[in-house]
Amino acid sequence: MSRCVSLRVSLPQARQAGSGPVPAVSPSRRPFQALSRHLPPHAGRGAVPVAAGPEEAAPGPLPAPPLPPPPPPWAGRARRGRAGGGAAMKPSGEEPVLLAELKPGRPQRYDWKSSCETWSVAFSPDGAWFAWSQGHCVVKLIPWPLGEAELGCKTSERKSRGSKVETWSRGAAKEKTLECGQIVWGLAFSAWPAPEDGDTDPACAVGLPCLVLATGLNDGQIKVWEVQTGHLLFSLLGHQDVVRDLSFAPNGSPILVSASRDKTLRVWDLSRDGRQVQVLSGHVQWVYCCSISPDCSMLCSAAGEKSALLWSMRSYTLIRRLEGHQSSVVSCDFSPDSALLVTASYDACVIMWDPYTGEQLRTLRHVPLHSMLDSSSEIHTSSLRSVCFSPEGLYLATVADDRLLRIWALELRSPVAFAPMTNGLCCMYFPHGGFIATGTRDGHVQFWTAPRVLSSLKHLCRKALRTFLTTYQVLALPIPRKLKEFLTYRTF
């Protein structure tokens, strides 16, 4: 038996999450105060310890966060970037508002270490599905936008009678529960090519592409599921330890990259029955994260090391080692035009790189806004867990151990918004913008509002050009120096 409980703490319009503008927040309702009234009583306590080394050790029991200090000077003001080409309209500094929080209904099994955490969340590329590694070897597949059952305050209970796939209908889409048999660490969606006539695979209708979800498991397996039916398509074997992260090629090709604690990355071709085509070795610690650039030319991997590795997706060879962090790099992501790469580390910094030249363009330092942990704690209160780009490429979201979700504007060095969250582990933007999903050590997933902006024509032109031009190609163009600096993101 499983149960999915949800909590709404915002306006009724939130259920129309897939479209329309984000509802404005009344100045009289500070999000922090709203959250403190509505968060569940157990939200501030510690979580199950992790069956990992010190890199993934969970903090001890944490007290409930106090109300924050008065807003910093930048709150509530319109921002004007130095570049002048980011967004035609800047948000006014409103903090993210918690739209909904989904909680697993299964009791926590303390006999299993690392059993209840939400290590990964994922939206499908078209924004129609949301996947949630709920803990206890379970993945929830939820049609998006969320309906009354998720956004309302009622408890919804779903029963399974021995079936591995549990569904309930809401219109044409069906929510599913995938029983993976092992703790789930990594999730990744991809479109599956349309089968041809004579194809005996019953997972997809002839002529129609379908959606697949890859799940990285605790025993080193990768299970690939067809989303609409819940059928298991492949079980990929090869890794010798936890599959920590997964990344599909963004161009829709059936190429999957997996990152594992066995210190390797592996490349799989699902069009060839899940054949393993390459093993990438070079890390000396557990590999935490992998990300393929949107133009499918590069792969970045982050391990428990002070550097990230950049690989060629054409030759599967190492391009360069990105060195600059002072502690383990744990997360990485490319900008939508592939022109920027960000890495997040336990040193409380995000470094923005030019992946083509290896140059460090900017460092974003996570300074604690107020003391939440005892100063004697061995865990750095601002150690980062996750970083991701917004779909239009103007913002970053980060989750850190100081229990704050931060949103950064690309051209600024301090966050434009932040919100309190407990024991955050991962974050991901909705593909069409406006929302962020975060996962926690308690097995919860939270949905937050995010800035919606109208990109300027200058930024749209830069994004279009950088989609097919490398930094070296831009620098070789017969154009003014200032224009080259803008196109290569040197005008911060």
Side-chain angles (χ1 to χ4, degrees):
M1 179 181 298
S2 67
R3 181 181 301 169
C4 182
V5 184
S6 60
L7 177 67
R8 178 173 64 182
V9 296
S10 68
L11 303 178
Q13 291 91 336
R15 63 174 171 267
Q16 299 176 357
S19 62
V22 176
V25 181
S26 172
S28 62
R29 287 188 57 197
R30 295 185 64 191
F32 288 104
Q33 295 170 339
L35 288 176
S36 65
R37 289 197 301 268
H38 295 286
L39 283 177
H42 59 277
R45 73 181 184 215
V48 179
V50 184
E55 292 85 0
E56 291 182 353
L62 302 177
L67 286 177
W74 45 260
R77 286 205 310 248
R79 308 303 299 255
R80 183 179 297 275
R82 291 175 57 191
M89 295 186 299
K90 294 289 182 182
S92 62
E94 291 286 358
E95 311 300 342
V97 175
L98 183 62
L99 296 176
E101 180 174 12
L102 305 183
K103 299 177 285 185
R106 300 188 179 194
Q108 293 185 355
R109 298 172 59 176
Y110 290 99
D111 57 318
W112 282 20
K113 291 183 178 181
S114 188
S115 64
C116 68
E117 293 88 349
T118 297
W119 288 111
S120 184
V121 293
F123 286 102
S124 62
D126 61 359
W129 288 89
F130 175 75
W132 163 27
S133 64
Q134 186 178 324
H136 313 291
C137 313
V138 168
V139 172
K140 279 285 185 184
L141 278 170
I142 302 173
W144 189 272
L146 300 180
E148 288 291 338
E150 289 82 11
L151 285 174
C153 297
K154 296 180 180 180
T155 298
S156 56
E157 189 173 303
R158 299 153 180 100
K159 298 181 179 180
S160 175
R161 300 181 179 274
S163 174
K164 288 190 175 182
V165 179
E166 171 192 353
T167 68
W168 66 284
S169 178
R170 192 181 75 223
K174 295 181 179 181
E175 179 183 312
K176 299 171 181 65
T177 300
L178 305 179
E179 298 282 357
C180 296
Q182 291 283 330
I183 298 168
V184 181
W185 292 79
L187 296 172
F189 279 103
S190 181
W192 186 259
E196 301 176 356
D197 292 334
D199 194 336
T200 58
D201 187 356
C204 302
V206 172
L208 296 176
C210 60
L211 192 66
V212 296
L213 175 71
T215 56
L217 307 183
N218 198 64
D219 62 355
Q221 281 193 79
I222 301 168
K223 291 187 177 181
V224 183
W225 311 79
E226 200 282 305
V227 171
Q228 290 291 342
T229 64
H231 292 160
L232 179 63
L233 300 178
F234 301 105
S235 289
L236 309 180
L237 304 176
H239 282 297
Q240 305 302 311
D241 208 334
V242 171
V243 177
R244 189 63 181 81
D245 196 22
L246 298 164
S247 181
F248 273 104
N251 62 0
S253 67
I255 297 297
L256 173 67
V257 175
S258 55
S260 172
R261 284 187 185 173
D262 65 10
K263 306 174 187 178
T264 69
L265 298 111
R266 295 173 190 257
V267 183
W268 313 83
D269 188 348
L270 301 190
S271 66
R272 300 163 67 182
D273 296 324
R275 178 181 175 183
Q276 179 179 292
V277 297
Q278 193 72 33
V279 178
L280 305 181
S281 301
H283 287 290
V284 296
Q285 299 292 337
W286 295 348
V287 188
Y288 289 131
C289 182
C290 60
S291 179
I292 302 176
S293 61
D295 64 2
C296 297
S297 67
M298 296 172 286
L299 166 70
C300 183
S301 57
E305 306 159 12
K306 296 180 182 180
S307 59
L309 300 187
L310 196 63
W311 310 82
S312 168
M313 282 296 291
R314 297 186 176 96
S315 63
Y316 299 119
T317 57
L318 181 65
I319 299 175
R320 65 174 50 88
R321 188 179 296 268
L322 302 174
E323 298 179 334
H325 285 289
Q326 303 304 310
S327 188
S328 300
V329 183
V330 294
S331 183
C332 58
D333 194 25
F334 283 93
S335 62
D337 58 4
S338 303
L340 297 173
L341 170 68
V342 288
T343 55
S345 168
Y346 286 161
D347 63 7
C349 292
V350 170
I351 296 181
M352 193 179 300
W353 309 82
D354 184 323
Y356 295 103
T357 65
E359 180 184 352
Q360 294 185 35
L361 302 180
R362 166 159 293 186
T363 298
L364 306 177
R365 303 186 186 280
H366 286 60
V367 179
L369 298 180
H370 47 82
S371 179
M372 288 187 178
L373 295 177
D374 188 274
S375 58
S376 63
S377 172
E378 295 182 359
I379 300 175
H380 198 299
T381 58
S382 293
S383 295
L384 284 159
R385 294 289 171 178
S386 183
V387 62
C388 62
F389 264 101
S390 62
E392 79 289 332
L394 291 173
Y395 291 92
L396 295 172
T398 59
V399 170
D401 280 346
D402 61 0
R403 301 189 299 162
L404 287 175
L405 166 68
R406 289 175 172 85
I407 298 177
W408 309 73
L410 201 62
E411 70 272 18
L412 302 175
R413 293 185 181 273
S414 57
V416 297
F418 59 90
M421 61 176 299
T422 302
N423 291 333
L425 289 176
C426 57
C427 61
M428 186 177 189
Y429 268 92
F430 180 62
H432 307 308
F435 304 97
I436 299 173
T438 58
T440 73
R441 288 190 181 276
D442 303 316
H444 301 186
V445 63
Q446 299 166 328
F447 299 98
W448 306 83
T449 59
R452 280 187 185 274
V453 294
L454 179 63
S455 297
S456 69
L457 181 59
K458 288 175 64 176
H459 175 69
L460 291 174
C461 291
R462 173 173 60 183
K463 184 178 174 182
L465 287 171
R466 292 310 308 272
T467 299
F468 62 89
L469 289 180
T470 69
T471 300
Y472 295 113
Q473 289 172 327
V474 170
L475 295 177
L477 293 175
I479 56 178
R481 178 179 58 85
K482 287 188 176 181
L483 185 54
K484 291 182 181 180
E485 291 176 351
F486 174 75
L487 291 176
T488 56
Y489 293 90
R490 265 69 172 178
T491 54
F492 293 149

